[in-house]
Amino acid sequence: MSLRAEAPPAATGVRRFTRAERWVHRSTALLMGVCVVTAACLYVPEFAQLVGRRELVVRIHEWAGLALPVPVLAGLASRAFRADLRHLNRFGPYDRRWLRAVLRRDKRRESRPAAKFNAGQKIYAAWIAGATLVMLGTGLLMWFTHLTPIMWRTSATFVHDWLALTVGIVLAGHIGMALGDPEARRGMRTGSVSREWAEREHRHWRP
């Protein structure tokens, strides 16, 4: 699939994501979903009995995990995707205000200012990126058992299993937030959002 930017959207909408950005998100979501589902089939007895073929499930889980960083690495060829990474990596004064409002459970829109991404999305992106790297590293230690001492493998298994549970919980929260915002889903699905939504939810964003 081409990673070049698409033509500008119609005047009624605002371009939020290019085709490359949406491709990275969908590919990563698919691979992460495969990892989560296969992990559930390996560790939940009811799912394991339902699916069977444990060796095949293990191989699918391993290869999906190895492929997980590939969409992001491919996305670096896109200028728009690299710009998004810069947005996600920078906190402004409005982000601190957003976090304070969340801690106070202040749900007023004026109390939660945001640029293209709000502070919660930035924290989520940083956390899931770090968790993915840890899962990849511990998974490799578990896979190549002959290269490391048993203490390393035991520790890697402990970290991998508990972090996987945490990732599942955080992903469920991420999906829940997306389900509660149809316009945000539209932006990820089509690349465009309404100008009214952009000005209301992301007033510091300058598309």
Side-chain angles (χ1 to χ4, degrees):
M1 182 178 290
S2 173
L3 296 182
R4 63 183 181 180
E6 295 174 307
T12 55
V14 176
R15 171 51 48 87
R16 184 161 173 82
F17 298 113
T18 64
R19 182 179 299 168
E21 294 164 291
R22 302 199 308 275
W23 176 84
V24 170
H25 185 270
R26 291 169 184 170
S27 302
T28 302
L30 176 62
L31 290 169
M32 184 68 77
V34 171
C35 288
V36 170
V37 170
T38 52
C41 292
L42 292 173
Y43 288 98
V44 179
E46 291 78 9
F47 291 162
Q49 294 175 5
L50 181 65
V51 175
R53 304 194 66 179
R54 181 179 177 86
E55 187 64 28
L56 175 61
V57 174
V58 169
R59 292 293 168 259
I60 294 174
H61 182 79
E62 290 171 342
W63 286 106
L66 283 176
L68 199 52
V70 173
V72 172
L73 294 175
L76 294 176
S78 163
R79 181 181 301 175
F81 182 70
R82 295 196 304 271
D84 272 358
L85 292 181
R86 289 193 293 271
H87 284 304
L88 288 167
N89 199 38
R90 293 175 182 171
F91 262 70
Y94 44 83
D95 291 313
R96 289 188 286 272
R97 184 179 172 190
W98 191 96
L99 289 172
R100 286 196 297 269
V102 170
L103 292 175
R104 295 195 304 267
R105 298 187 179 180
D106 184 350
K107 297 183 179 180
R108 294 175 300 166
R109 288 194 181 95
E110 60 271 20
S111 300
R112 298 189 179 192
K116 185 173 185 179
F117 303 103
N118 63 44
Q121 291 168 328
K122 293 177 180 180
I123 291 173
Y124 168 79
W127 187 88
I128 201 69
T132 298
L133 291 176
V134 173
M135 293 291 286
L136 180 61
T138 53
L140 288 172
L141 288 176
M142 294 163 61
W143 193 358
F144 297 104
T145 56
H146 61 288
L147 297 179
T148 56
I150 189 169
M151 178 64 72
W152 289 23
R153 298 197 301 272
T154 302
S155 301
T157 302
F158 177 84
V159 172
H160 194 88
D161 290 353
W162 282 101
L163 185 56
L165 177 61
T166 307
V167 167
I169 294 171
V170 172
L171 284 176
H174 177 67
I175 294 170
M177 294 293 290
L179 291 175
D181 195 337
E183 191 67 24
R185 295 201 310 275
R186 178 191 167 204
M188 188 55 69
R189 186 178 68 255
T190 68
S192 299
V193 294
S194 68
R195 187 169 296 278
E196 178 187 6
W197 180 86
E199 293 174 350
R200 183 181 70 245
E201 301 291 341
H202 298 269
R203 62 178 179 268
H204 292 282
W205 176 34
R206 300 292 179 265

